[in-house]
């Protein structure tokens, strides 16, 4: 046997978030106002975000201090363990070393609370009494509901219909923490009503749910908006993951050759990888791989362009890889990876060649998830099963080359709420669809007429 | 804020299990053979248990070394955290200190893997290829499936029908780890078929499921049986919990005045409390409280007597508090607390007055669970919500007396798989039934004609 877990002392919870912007040679172009097409300023954002987060969104400081209250909340589940996956290595028959960082021990079961508690804290500090948000798989919505109860704030969650129906227990979890959760599109917003009128049976999308939550926040004096991924400040908060992993690997005497995470909006991926980016960009760090679903291949088949972050054109235009803001992917089980766009910072790093992207189908990802569960005991969420699929590819490549490599893979959440997905996989009823190019071409028509990225 | 988590280093995983038998002034009478009524010997047990576990079942040694392979498996989630519940203290407005030990971070989400990995290990060591077991709420069955995949053993789980229907995802979890799960009573055993014939719509019971699993093991050469609670060796394995908690409290400079756990078969309760029992018996240790459901009030309204551990009279007669082996409790959500009997060691300690017992209804327990979730972030399983209910009672008593006490409460698992129960509670549809005395009297008729306990 010989599982090896590397735990850090509670005092080793990072004291600062790491801002990758400080270490980039070039920066992504600025977000643009959805109405005017001009760069977004603090005044544009202040109706929906607290000032502290707006400051972090545009900060160029390398280190941002983590408030004591946020670190105290982190202590409920941080530092998270780094495991050496010795059983998986043996099952694979590889001589390479595999480490995984596990964020599933948080109260809501994923990495999402890392930014949720930070956002709830800053909102509470600025007197905000209610937060509206969207959620895909439900991980973010439940994380925010948890964070809001920690800081005494009300929480309203617009949950993508596809996940709302397939994961009903997320709604109960949110309610247990005192939050309210509705299926999106909902009748509670103008954006939701408009979409329901056009297509009453839509399975929804993150883009639609974002429109609803932003509208809610923009139209209520007592309410701000919170986003669970994509934006710079959200990615910033997640860097506690990679910082801890770096320290734990050092303690284990290991240096990663390859770092792998899944990418939906980009936040768990940024969390594990950004602390390694400066080294990677300099050619001295690990290869960094982002794994995404073939059903929503933003990085591998999307366009690098300005696009709306949401469906109803209420959110800023972001410079990012996108499939078009009207793209509605199949209702795959990895609901957290169904976003049409991608964080500007992750997009920029992919565009610069610092990060490599891969896309995989559901069945091959669940196959890896089940292998992982049987070897390592932890049942992964469908999202990080994409990272495990990329890991398999990389391990086999190392074996074929006859080299031993050290891998760091990010297990950003557990699959306790995804048992219906596992049931479907194990019973052989999951079908993989090839996404036709003409469907992608049609979706990309949404990009026509939008401002072009600077050359 | 100021959550305080006390983590021990991985090296602090206990090296030995603690055997409370070594520190008792008097011992419970021996188990009796179900057929002959004579004390059970190793030969009676060897068809269904490996020799190493039979040795532990009758051991009087104070310390039993934990094999390196078991400690390595423990390292996947142990040491588990001890938290100071400062937010809960503030929400309660008490000056008392509340600590909780949290076992929900294990792969299957409860304390059960502590003994599951030990049992799977010893079975594998002795060449056993398949293990059969029963499960109530599903916690034990999934823990054993997890442990079996760690040691390459097949696993068959008979799951009480009430829980099988209300928690369908446990079956998928077991299947993900490669195990097989059927509803009990099932058509796979003679015991199951006999009961189904009499009452096709029965919701089942742990007693029935035990009969099925024991029959499976006794009638197949390649199969042994594993029990998730009740027996001495199972309780022994759980003592890693209390040992860690003791060390963590010492690190925090705290000495508990009261230790509280819920009790179904007795194993999580023993895990947290047995390391404190010798002090408690000597009058220098904490008050120890076992919390159970009013719908299955084994300790508070049962008889201290010899009774069968199962329904079909295949398991030994155990000296314990029991409601009668035919007692089928309401299908309450705390499925893990629906056992008609109680571990002989816990029963003995209650009978001797070392441990105090209390019974609570569902709604008052869920009320505490929701309060706990909103204060501390973790959503408890329905079982430990009974411990939280007792905690509330004790904290209020301390406040009323004007004293500050230090409490240690055991949060033995998370409620991720119990969202339907929370949904029922939050929507106000849970009804508490008073258990009529004549129903208990009828059930106790099962005890007539069985051997009497020695005076």
């Amino acid at each position: 046997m010989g599982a090896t877990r590397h735990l850090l002392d509670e005092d080793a919870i990072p004291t600062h978030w790491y801002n990758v912007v400080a270490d980039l040679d070039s920066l992504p172009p600025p977000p643009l106002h959805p109405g005017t097409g001009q760069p977004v300023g603090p005044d544009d954002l202040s109706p929906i975000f607290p000032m502290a987060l707006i400051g972090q969104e545009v900060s160029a400081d390398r280190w941002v201090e983590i408030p004591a209250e946020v670190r105290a909340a982190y202590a409920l589940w941080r530092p998270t363990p780094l495991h050496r996956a010795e059983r998986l290595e043996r099952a694979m028959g590889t001589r390479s070393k595999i480490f995984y960082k596990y964020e599933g021990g948080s109260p809501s079961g994923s990495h999402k609370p890392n930014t949720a508690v930070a956002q709830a804290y800053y909102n509470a500090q600025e007197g905000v009494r209610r937060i509206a948000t969207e959620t895909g798989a439900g991980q973010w919505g439940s994380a925010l509901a948890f964070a809001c109860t920690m800081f005494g704030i009300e929480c309203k969650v617009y949950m993508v219909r596809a996940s709302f129906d397939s994961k009903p227990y997320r709604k109960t979890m949110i309610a247990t923490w005192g939050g309210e959760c509705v299926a999106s599109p909902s009748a509670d917003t103008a954006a939701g009503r408009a979409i329901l009128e056009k297509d009453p049976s839509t399975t929804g999308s993150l883009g639609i749910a974002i429109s609803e939550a932003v509208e809610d926040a923009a139209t209520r004096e007592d309410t701000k908006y919170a986003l669970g991924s994509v934006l710079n400040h959200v990615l910033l908060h997640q860097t506690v993951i990679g910082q801890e992993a770096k320290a734990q690997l050092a303690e284990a005497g290991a240096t990663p050759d390859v770092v792998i995470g899944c990418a939906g909006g980009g936040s768990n991926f940024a969390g594990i990888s950004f602390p390694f980016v400066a080294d990677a960009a300099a050619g001295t760090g690990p290869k960094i791989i982002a794994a995404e679903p073939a059903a929503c291949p933003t990085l591998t088949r999307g366009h690098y362009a300005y696009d709306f972050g949401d469906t109803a054109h209420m959110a800023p235009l972001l410079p990012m890889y996108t499939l078009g803001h009207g793209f509605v992917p199949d209702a795959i089980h990895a609901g957290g990876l169904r976003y049409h766009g991608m964080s500007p910072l992750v997009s920029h790093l992919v565009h610069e060649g610092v990060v490599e992207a891969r896309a995989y189908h559901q069945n091959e990802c669940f196959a890896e998830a089940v292998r992982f569960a049987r070897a390592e005991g932890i049942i992964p969420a469908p999202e990080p099963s994409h990272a495990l699929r990329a890991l398999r590819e990389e391990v086999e490549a190392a074996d074929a080359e006859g080299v031993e490599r050290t891998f760091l893979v990010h297990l950003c959440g557990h699959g306790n709420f995804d048992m219906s997905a596992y049931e479907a996989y194990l019973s052989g009823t999951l079908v993989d669809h090839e996404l036709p190019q003409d469907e992608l071409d049609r979706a990309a028509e949404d990009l026509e007429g939008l401002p072009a990225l600077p050359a």
Side-chain angles (χ1 to χ4, degrees), chain A:
Chain A
M1 310 278 303
T4 317
R5 178 163 68 150
H6 300 276
L7 274 178
L8 295 170
D9 195 81
E10 182 184 324
D11 298 337
I13 296 173
T15 56
H16 293 72
W17 292 301
Y18 166 69
N19 185 1
V20 75
V21 165
D23 286 321
L24 298 180
D25 289 334
S26 64
L27 292 180
L32 305 180
H33 190 282
T36 65
Q38 294 303 304
V40 163
D43 287 352
D44 298 316
L45 297 175
S46 60
I48 59 168
F49 291 117
M51 286 313 296
L53 294 175
I54 295 171
Q56 292 179 0
E57 187 63 23
V58 297
S59 170
D61 297 341
R62 181 170 288 108
W63 299 104
V64 177
E65 192 170 3
I66 306 177
E69 292 87 343
V70 173
R71 287 186 83 229
Y74 280 174
L76 274 170
W77 72 97
R78 305 209 72 83
T80 62
L82 178 85
H83 294 275
R84 169 85 183 273
E86 293 187 359
R87 290 184 191 80
L88 184 64
E89 291 168 14
R90 277 197 298 279
M92 283 183 164
T94 184
R95 289 174 315 169
S96 285
K97 290 191 182 73
I98 301 170
F99 291 88
Y100 62 98
K101 179 75 169 166
Y102 181 50
E103 292 285 306
S106 78
S108 64
S110 80
H111 64 292
K112 293 291 187 187
N114 294 328
T115 183
V117 293
Q119 294 192 48
Y121 166 78
Y122 288 117
N123 274 287
Q125 284 294 103
E126 298 186 22
V128 175
R129 294 183 38 202
R130 182 174 174 275
I131 299 181
T133 198
E134 73 289 333
T135 197
Q139 293 279 17
W140 167 244
S142 50
L144 191 67
F146 151 69
C148 282
T149 187
M150 293 290 104
F151 292 96
I153 295 176
E154 278 179 62
C155 182
K156 168 85 175 255
V157 179
Y158 296 87
M159 184 169 182
V160 176
R161 165 67 71 184
S163 298
F164 188 89
D165 291 340
S166 68
K167 303 178 186 193
Y169 293 152
R170 283 285 173 187
K171 174 169 100 36
T172 307
M173 197 173 195
I174 289 167
T176 300
W177 279 316
E180 183 195 351
C181 179
V182 295
S184 168
S186 78
D188 295 1
T189 66
R193 286 188 296 270
I195 289 159
L196 282 175
E197 202 166 305
K198 277 206 322 218
D199 181 5
S201 67
T202 175
T203 55
S205 72
L206 262 186
I208 295 170
I210 292 173
S211 296
E212 295 206 77
V214 170
E215 179 187 327
D216 181 319
T219 54
R220 281 186 61 154
E221 194 61 47
D222 64 346
T223 301
K224 296 273 187 209
Y225 168 70
L227 193 64
S229 190
V230 177
L231 297 184
N232 297 1
H233 68 274
V234 181
L235 276 56
L236 175 79
H237 300 152
Q238 293 295 352
T239 58
V240 290
I241 303 168
Q243 289 184 66
E244 285 179 10
K246 245 184 160 172
Q248 288 162 316
L249 285 167
E251 216 179 61
T255 311
D257 298 301
V258 186
V259 173
I260 306 173
C262 65
S267 82
N268 98 75
F269 177 76
I272 193 76
S273 67
F274 278 9
F276 296 95
V277 156
D279 298 338
T284 59
K287 173 163 146 183
I288 302 179
I289 299 174
E292 64 179 10
C296 191
T298 316
L299 291 170
T300 50
R301 298 176 72 188
H303 300 264
Y304 190 50
Y306 268 119
D307 194 11
F308 293 105
D310 68 333
T311 306
H313 306 189
M314 301 188 66
L317 286 156
L318 298 175
M320 60 183 179
Y321 281 93
T322 176
L323 297 164
H325 55 270
F327 180 75
V328 178
D330 277 358
I332 56 168
H333 289 287
L337 305 184
R338 291 178 77 245
Y339 186 52
H340 71 272
M342 178 61 64
S343 133
L345 283 171
V346 172
S347 294
H348 179 73
L349 289 166
V350 170
H351 194 246
E352 298 282 306
V354 178
V355 169
E356 208 180 307
R358 312 262 177 88
Y360 302 103
H361 286 290
Q362 281 199 95
N363 276 297
E364 59 186 334
C365 294
F366 275 108
E368 290 312 315
V370 168
R371 283 183 192 129
F372 185 89
R374 292 183 185 177
E376 293 293 317
I378 295 168
I379 300 179
E383 290 82 1
S385 75
H386 291 73
L388 294 172
R389 178 64 191 88
L391 171 71
R392 160 85 47 182
E393 201 163 82
E394 287 292 309
V395 167
E396 287 177 352
D399 292 346
E401 291 171 47
V403 296
E404 293 174 28
R405 296 209 175 97
T406 297
F407 296 94
L408 171 63
V409 64
H410 189 208
L411 206 65
C412 58
H414 63 60
N416 287 1
F417 288 90
D418 303 285
M419 284 299 126
S420 61
Y422 277 90
E423 186 61 41
Y425 168 72
L426 290 170
S427 62
T429 59
L430 273 190
V431 179
D432 293 326
H433 296 289
E434 283 305 327
L435 184 58
Q437 187 57 44
D438 62 343
E439 190 176 326
L440 286 177
D441 292 343
R442 269 198 309 277
E445 289 171 12
D446 283 349
L447 300 170
E448 285 168 21
L450 297 180
L453 287 182

